Amino acid sequence: VKEGLYYDGSNEFVAKIVKGWPETYRVYTTFGSGGGSGGRSGGAGSDVRATPWLPTGDSKTGIPFLLNSAPDVTYRRVWAHNDEDDEHVALDIAFPSDRYHNTDKPLYMILHGLNGGSSEEYVREFVWRRINEGSTCVVMVARGLMDTPVLGWNVFHGARTSDVHVASGLLRKTLGN
């Protein structure tokens, strides 16, 4: 299969997105053409090459965190109450070294995805870098993950947005815009 982005050109919406999306940002090649575009995408004209011994996107994402450990991060756990179903959502907050939220720096709310939580290597790596820049990071732990209790029948569901709404509202009210 030749590298590239495959899509249905008859879908006008998708075709419009692809047309406005430069190829250098959507192609990742195992063969650098040596043109030296200066970009980091690995696309046409780039000296950046893919790692040939990591053949899939999943392996390129996961292997670095299996081979290298992320620094430990200290979190403070708080709970946000969701009135919709009377459940609570865990928020693990990491502050910069001075232990205060700096309103001049970004506040990052991290949604870890389908697995893990704030202890996952890729989450800790991101959080560690941001707090060392002086930012505050909040990881919303999905219901039932990291051994958080679920009192009713509404366990984790990726399409439930009410937990994110409640968590972000609490952060805005507590830490400001």
Side-chain angles (χ1 to χ4, degrees):
V1 175
K2 187 175 183 274
E3 72 177 24
L5 176 65
Y6 292 86
Y7 63 96
D8 181 359
S10 67
N11 182 325
E12 291 178 23
F13 180 72
V14 172
K16 187 175 181 180
I17 291 172
V18 172
K19 184 178 178 185
W21 189 8
E23 183 178 0
T24 58
Y25 294 117
R26 56 183 163 92
V27 175
Y28 190 67
T29 180
T30 55
F31 312 103
S33 62
S37 68
R40 300 179 66 204
S41 67
S46 173
D47 289 328
V48 178
R49 293 180 177 90
T51 308
W53 44 271
L54 296 176
T56 68
D58 289 338
S59 64
K60 288 178 178 92
T61 299
I63 293 295
F65 294 102
L66 293 174
L67 299 177
N68 305 292
S69 62
D72 287 331
V73 174
T74 301
Y75 295 102
R76 174 160 172 100
R77 179 163 288 177
V78 297
W79 296 89
H81 181 256
N82 189 336
D83 290 328
E84 182 178 278
D85 58 4
D86 206 33
E87 289 286 353
H88 290 79
V89 178
L91 304 176
D92 288 348
I93 304 175
F95 291 98
S97 59
D98 64 4
R99 299 187 337 212
Y100 293 97
H101 172 61
N102 182 347
T103 56
D104 295 333
K105 297 285 188 170
L107 168 67
Y108 293 93
M109 182 170 165
I110 297 119
L111 307 176
H112 57 75
L114 298 175
N115 61 348
S118 58
S119 62
E120 291 295 318
E121 299 273 338
Y122 64 94
V123 172
R124 288 193 349 244
E125 175 74 20
F126 178 84
V127 169
W128 184 82
R129 289 179 185 274
R130 301 296 76 87
I131 63 175
N132 281 302
E133 295 171 353
S135 294
T136 301
C137 293
V138 180
V139 182
M140 187 191 89
V141 179
R143 293 183 186 199
L145 297 183
M146 294 188 70
D147 294 323
T148 57
V150 178
L151 304 177
W153 290 99
N154 291 331
V155 295
F156 172 76
H157 190 292
R160 181 184 295 109
T161 59
S162 61
D163 289 346
V164 176
H165 177 76
V166 165
S168 60
L170 177 65
L171 293 174
R172 178 168 284 164
K173 179 179 172 185
T174 308
L175 300 175
N177 292 332

